[in-house]
Every structure is written in structure tokens, then in C-alpha cells.
């Protein structure tokens, strides 16, 4: 189980990313548009730098929904590999069975 503080930090980042998503996308589009003038693009880059660091989506970390483990997380399930194994053996994940050949 991950520390509660680390899980809470990720939740805080999620909220900030959602709050600034529209503005972030607009500024990134302006900064990357070659048709805009250099001054406009520079102003967009400066505005991006003024946004909070945690508003950047690349700072988010995928964590297990149950344990908070940051590594070995499967996107399809949102769970860590160990939890997937536990739940699959218990038969709690529909359609997942133990491989045998």
C-alpha cells in the first residue's frame, strides 16, 4: 500500500489537470502553430510557463486503484499486476482465466 500522502498528491494533480485542461490545450495549439507570428507563439509559451507545474498532464502517474502502487499498473484494469492476479484467481474479473496449455 502506497503512502496516503502520495495518493493524495496524485488526486490533487488530477484536479489541477482537469481545471487547466482547456487553457493548456489552447496555449499548446498556439505555441505549436507555425502560421502564428513569433510574438504570439512566444507569448503563448510564457503563459504556459506561468501555469502551475502540476497542471501539466505529463506529471500524472498511473496508480493502482486499490493499493496506490505506481508501477506495474495495467491501463485496461487500472490495477497493479499483483491485484489483477489475486482477483483473477478469485474469479472476480470477468473473462480473465489462468492460462494453461
Amino acid at each position: 500500500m502506497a503512502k496516503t500522502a502520495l495518493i493524495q498528491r496524485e488526486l490533487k494533480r488530477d484536479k489541477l489537470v482537469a481545471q487547466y485542461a482547456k487553457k493548456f490545450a489552447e496555449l499548446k495549439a498556439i505555441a505549436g502553430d507555425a502560421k502564428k507570428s513569433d510574438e504570439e507563439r512566444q507569448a503563448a509559451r510564457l503563459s504556459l510557463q506561468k501555469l502551475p507545474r502540476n497542471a501539466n498532464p505529463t506529471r500524472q502517474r498511473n496508480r493502482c486503484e486499490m493499493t496506490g502502487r505506481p508501477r506495474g499498473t495495467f491501463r485496461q484494469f487500472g490495477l497493479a499486476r499483483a491485484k489483477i492476479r489475486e482477483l483473477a484467481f478469485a474469479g472476480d474479473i470477468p473473462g480473465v482465466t489462468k492460462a494453461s496449455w
Side-chain angles (χ1 to χ4, degrees), residues 64-66 72-74 77-81 83-84 87 93:
C64 176
E65 291 293 324
M66 296 177 83
T73 305
F74 286 69
F77 302 107
L79 299 171
R81 56 185 171 73
K83 279 294 170 185
I84 289 174
L87 295 173
I93 303 177

Side-chain angles (χ1 to χ4, degrees), residues 14-43:
D14 292 341
K15 288 178 188 174
L16 263 177
V17 167
Q19 180 182 349
Y20 286 98
K22 186 177 178 185
K23 188 173 187 178
F24 190 84
E26 289 171 359
L27 291 172
K28 283 289 275 188
I30 293 170
D33 189 4
K35 294 178 184 175
K36 300 277 184 183
S37 68
D38 289 340
E39 292 81 23
E40 285 179 309
R41 294 172 69 193
Q42 183 65 25

Side-chain angles (χ1 to χ4, degrees), residues 33-70:
D33 189 4
K35 294 178 184 175
K36 300 277 184 183
S37 68
D38 289 340
E39 292 81 23
E40 285 179 309
R41 294 172 69 193
Q42 183 65 25
R45 286 191 202 103
L46 288 174
S47 298
L48 271 172
Q49 288 178 355
K50 289 180 183 174
L51 293 178
R53 278 188 186 206
N54 287 333
N56 192 336
T58 58
R59 289 178 67 94
Q60 288 178 308
R61 181 83 180 177
N62 292 332
R63 288 187 175 268
C64 176
E65 291 293 324
M66 296 177 83
T67 61
R69 180 180 166 86

